[in-house]
Amino acid sequence: MLSNNADFTKMKTIAFATSNDHKMEELRHILPQYKILGLKDLGIQEEIHETGSTLEENALIKAEFLFNKTGQSSFSEDTGLEVDALNGAPGVHTARYAGVSRNPEANMDLLIDNLKENSDRSAQFRTVIAYKSANEVRIFEGIVRGQIAKTKSGQGGFGYDPVFIPDGYNNTFAELDQTIKNQISHRAKAVKYLLEYLILRSD
Ligand code: ITT
């Protein structure tokens, strides 16, 4: 029987074009079958300019950047919070909704202000994964529907988690056990499709 160490050395490695430590942590829980190397692990400090006008374009920019840098199969993800009553905003502007400082507290406060007492609080997190290898480019999507809370609650997760209550639950993502988030989230769903694809290709 193989020891744990032997298993580890046989793990497949994949490069993930992110500098977001929270995403890395979630990915390591969601995809334990792979050794995932982020930009920091790869010693890449350059900022990737997300100049696209859609989540898909930005995800592709990041995956292609890392593939061109390393020559290794790479993936990235871009995530947006899409609020129905705001016609899909903040969407591609999710990270910088309240300004370039990308402050999650300010972003959530602005969102709560913009929704005011609106009774339609429905929204979704949408993650787009772009995968780039020598031969192929693939896009995968994961969506979780939910409601925007009127106030922020909870300490877990990151970004907008304190104001997002996923359908089927009474608590925000920041209040729920992170194991639950990592089972039902936008990110978990998109990664499931990526994994199915990688298994099919036996990458
Ligand atoms: P990259 O290096 O991967 O680009 P980023 O932080 O710039 O990391 P995005 O461009 O995808 O990530 O920005 C999405 C923003 O959406 C992010 O800054 C968070 O505020 C928010 N966000 C993403 N995933 C989230 C999640 O699971 N829960 C709550 N908020 C999330």
Side-chain angles (χ1 to χ4, degrees):
M1 198 170 124
L2 290 167
S3 73
N4 284 342
N5 281 346
D7 278 344
F8 185 77
T9 59
K10 293 184 98 179
M11 272 173 89
K12 292 176 176 164
T13 302
I14 189 163
F16 181 22
T18 189
S19 47
N20 182 322
D21 294 337
H22 299 286
K23 287 187 183 179
M24 278 300 292
E25 193 185 335
E26 289 192 3
L27 253 296
R28 287 186 168 132
H29 280 99
I30 296 168
L31 203 55
Q33 305 90 327
Y34 282 77
K35 183 175 182 186
I36 302 169
L37 299 178
L39 293 174
K40 287 179 195 163
D41 303 309
L42 294 162
I44 298 171
Q45 281 158 6
E46 270 165 80
E47 192 190 337
I48 309 175
H49 298 288
E50 298 181 36
T51 51
S53 54
T54 61
L55 300 178
E56 286 78 2
E57 283 174 18
N58 281 339
L60 277 171
I61 287 170
K62 291 187 268 192
E64 282 174 353
F65 169 92
L66 190 53
F67 176 79
N68 290 336
K69 223 49 204 166
T70 63
Q72 301 296 319
S73 299
S74 303
F75 77 102
S76 75
E77 66 108 288
D78 210 49
T79 294
L81 179 60
E82 300 172 335
V83 180
D84 295 357
L86 301 177
N87 299 317
V92 74
H93 305 295
T94 296
R96 296 177 176 80
Y97 192 37
V100 289
S101 65
R102 305 166 59 104
N103 181 319
E105 296 299 323
N107 284 340
M108 286 186 284
D109 290 342
L110 180 62
L111 178 61
I112 289 168
D113 277 359
N114 285 346
L115 271 178
K116 300 192 178 73
E117 288 305 308
N118 203 318
S119 60
D120 179 7
R121 324 271 319 169
S122 52
Q124 63 187 25
F125 270 121
R126 189 162 72 90
T127 290
V128 174
I129 287 181
Y131 173 84
K132 167 85 180 131
S133 68
N135 310 316
E136 280 178 299
V137 174
R138 281 280 196 280
I139 294 282
F140 306 96
E141 178 186 73
I143 291 175
V144 63
R145 298 279 308 166
Q147 299 287 315
I148 302 299
K150 291 190 172 165
T151 55
K152 300 178 263 186
S153 323
Q155 303 296 323
F158 69 102
Y160 293 76
D161 281 346
V163 294
F164 187 84
I165 304 171
D167 284 353
Y169 294 83
N170 295 317
N171 296 97
T172 68
F173 262 155
E175 293 175 303
L176 288 170
D177 190 307
Q178 292 308 290
T179 312
I180 296 176
K181 181 184 177 192
N182 288 332
Q183 280 165 2
I184 67 168
S185 79
H186 42 303
R187 185 162 293 110
K189 289 177 181 169
V191 170
K192 179 175 158 272
Y193 294 124
L194 169 67
L195 181 60
E196 282 171 6
Y197 168 76
L198 293 175
I199 289 171
L200 211 69
R201 289 176 38 99
S202 59
D203 264 1

